[in-house]
Amino acid sequence: MLDRFRGGAGVSPTDHFDAFISYAREPSAALAAQLQTSLEKFAKPWNKLRAMRVFRDDQSMAANTALWSTIERGLNESSHLILLVTPEAASSEWVDKEVRWWVEHKSSGSVLLVHQAGVLDWDDAKSDFTAASAVPPSLRGAFGEEPRWVDLTSLDQAQLADGDNPTMTNAVADLSSAVRGVDRDTIIGENVAEHRRTMRMARGAIVGLSSRGLVGGGRARASATKLGETRGATEPGPTSRG
């Protein structure tokens, strides 16, 4: 039994993805979803829908599409592979198939590792991961030197699903920098600047709406006053009984 169901809305051959997230549904579904959301938002220009496009099976696929052909198309149209490292992913048939395709058709240099759980160590003498490391079989021997990875092993499930967690924010900054080919400090600065711009625009919109409300309220009160005066002028005064 495969570790997760892969069904999906087909991926158009003309689509392009900046990253493909490879993971085992348990325990990484929440982390994969949060990473996709955060990566697409991080340092996003105000006039764009997203900062980058990320392929994640549940989000990028819908029911009744050929499973592997859709996955393969997503891999082919992606520039980076983000692997969520866990013991479950290491033993997953699907994850290993995705990693094997990537290593054979692209380059291990564009594989980004996110260490979520389990052991992940490098053996300098063998220039490979240690035997105890939780990596898919197809990733062994793929790197000529120790790769850098993002370490999220200190976070629990709730923290992994929290995009505002400082450790998660740092991880997203590292991954965004690698995928977009922008210096880490530069992309963090862009994210801060875009956040400030968004806040200014939001405040401006609130002020604009408040001003319209005040003007509208003033006009309504003026109209009510005028109507009252008109009624007062036209109504007959009191009469005396004879």
Side-chain angles (χ1 to χ4, degrees):
M1 186 73 178
L2 298 178
D3 66 296
R4 52 185 166 139
F5 171 75
R6 312 252 188 166
V11 179
S12 168
T14 59
D15 283 345
H16 172 77
F17 295 92
D18 298 285
F20 181 110
I21 300 180
S22 181
Y23 66 102
R25 178 171 295 283
E26 292 296 337
S28 302
L31 174 57
Q34 185 57 60
L35 278 178
Q36 179 185 25
T37 298
S38 296
L39 287 169
E40 291 182 343
K41 283 179 159 182
F42 197 80
K44 181 189 77 67
W46 68 272
N47 59 343
K48 289 188 176 181
L49 181 62
R50 57 177 70 90
M52 67 172 76
R53 293 193 68 203
V54 178
F55 185 103
R56 178 175 62 88
D57 57 0
D58 281 353
Q59 186 68 22
S60 305
M61 301 169 65
N64 301 322
T65 298
L67 301 180
W68 175 247
S69 62
T70 305
I71 292 290
E72 185 175 28
R73 196 174 301 156
L75 288 164
N76 187 58
E77 295 300 327
S78 298
S79 60
H80 288 77
L81 178 73
I82 298 176
L83 173 63
L84 307 191
V85 177
T86 63
E88 292 82 0
S91 61
S92 164
E93 176 183 339
W94 276 107
V95 172
D96 188 57
K97 191 172 184 179
E98 291 165 354
V99 171
R100 182 169 64 252
W101 186 97
W102 194 274
V103 171
E104 290 176 354
H105 294 84
K106 298 203 174 184
S107 166
S108 61
S110 54
V111 176
L112 306 174
L113 304 179
V114 177
H115 187 196
Q116 180 183 353
V119 176
L120 185 59
D121 287 320
W122 185 259
D123 187 332
D124 288 322
K126 296 181 178 179
S127 294
D128 200 358
F129 295 103
T130 61
S133 292
V135 294
S138 296
L139 200 62
R140 295 188 178 278
F143 293 97
E145 58 182 1
E146 182 178 4
R148 182 184 175 193
W149 58 77
V150 174
D151 187 356
L152 297 180
T153 55
S154 64
L155 304 185
D156 59 27
Q157 284 292 341
Q159 292 170 321
L160 289 170
D162 180 7
D164 294 326
N165 181 282
T167 301
M168 280 291 294
T169 300
N170 284 329
V172 170
D174 285 341
L175 294 170
S176 294
S177 173
V179 172
R180 296 169 64 179
V182 179
D183 178 76
R184 187 179 187 276
D185 289 339
T186 299
I187 204 167
I188 289 175
E190 289 178 0
N191 185 59
V192 171
E194 290 297 338
H195 178 72
R196 288 174 177 169
R197 181 200 294 267
T198 301
M199 294 302 294
R200 285 197 304 271
M201 293 175 68
R203 285 194 295 268
I206 291 172
V207 170
L209 290 172
S210 298
S211 298
R212 290 180 183 177
L214 289 173
V215 171
R219 288 176 178 171
R221 285 192 295 273
S223 297
T225 301
K226 186 174 181 180
L227 179 60
E229 292 173 350
T230 301
R231 286 179 175 175
T234 56
E235 287 178 356
T239 57
S240 58
R241 290 176 180 264

